[in-house]
Amino acid sequence: MKYMILTYASQQDYDGMGGKDTGKPAWTEEDFAAMGAFMEKFNNDLIESGEMVETRALAAPVLTRRLGSKDGSSVVTDGPYAETQEVLAGYWIVECESFDRATEIAARLGDTPAPEFVRATAYADIRPIVETRDDLVD
């Protein structure tokens, strides 16, 4: 079965990683390097176990374009959005034996090196990937 592991961030998080003033301590070069090394090992472990299907990080919310509708007309809104609004920051698609195994994989993300104020609010979602239309209903 395939599962998608999703992580989230805000524009403020991206700004902090880039060393910009956010009202919270900026990430140091060491913080950013430690996170990068952790993610590289995390991804390589999944490749070696044969469970990695795909992974991608996503650009900052400031580069986002949201499409919606209002009064029957299409509406396009360019980012950034409110600082506190969380958006998808990255994802992994893994193929593994069970939802429990996908949960074990995602739980390892809790060990990602980051400033404590970032770690305190970090989370991931795990969702099964449907293969057919029939899989959409419970």
Side-chain angles (χ1 to χ4, degrees):
M1 180 96 188
K2 291 180 184 170
Y3 300 89
M4 182 176 267
I5 300 168
L6 306 115
T7 58
Y8 301 87
S10 67
Q11 183 63 48
Q12 187 178 37
D13 295 328
Y14 280 87
D15 288 346
M17 283 189 289
K20 294 180 182 174
D21 182 15
T22 65
K24 296 180 180 177
W27 286 54
T28 66
E29 288 183 32
E30 293 79 15
D31 291 333
F32 198 67
M35 181 190 67
F38 176 89
M39 289 298 175
E40 187 174 329
K41 180 173 180 354
F42 180 80
N43 293 338
N44 285 336
D45 288 349
L46 290 173
I47 291 167
E48 289 174 13
S49 72
E51 294 169 307
M52 175 72 81
V53 175
E54 179 180 349
T55 187
R56 295 282 188 258
L58 300 176
V62 71
L63 301 171
T64 299
R65 184 168 286 161
R66 179 171 286 166
L67 288 97
S69 64
K70 183 175 182 179
D71 300 325
S73 297
S74 293
V75 176
V76 178
T77 306
D78 288 328
Y81 309 108
E83 272 184 12
T84 57
Q85 183 173 341
E86 292 181 337
V87 296
L88 185 63
Y91 68 89
W92 291 260
I93 296 176
V94 296
E95 188 165 8
C96 54
E97 63 196 33
S98 67
F99 209 157
D100 288 341
R101 175 61 185 146
T103 302
E104 289 172 8
I105 292 167
R108 290 181 48 208
L109 291 169
D111 295 331
T112 304
E116 190 53 43
F117 71 91
V118 173
R119 292 172 50 88
T121 59
Y123 66 94
D125 289 334
I126 307 140
R127 296 180 63 183
I129 295 177
V130 297
E131 300 292 335
T132 69
R133 183 174 52 212
D134 293 336
D135 293 336
L136 288 172
V137 291
D138 192 18

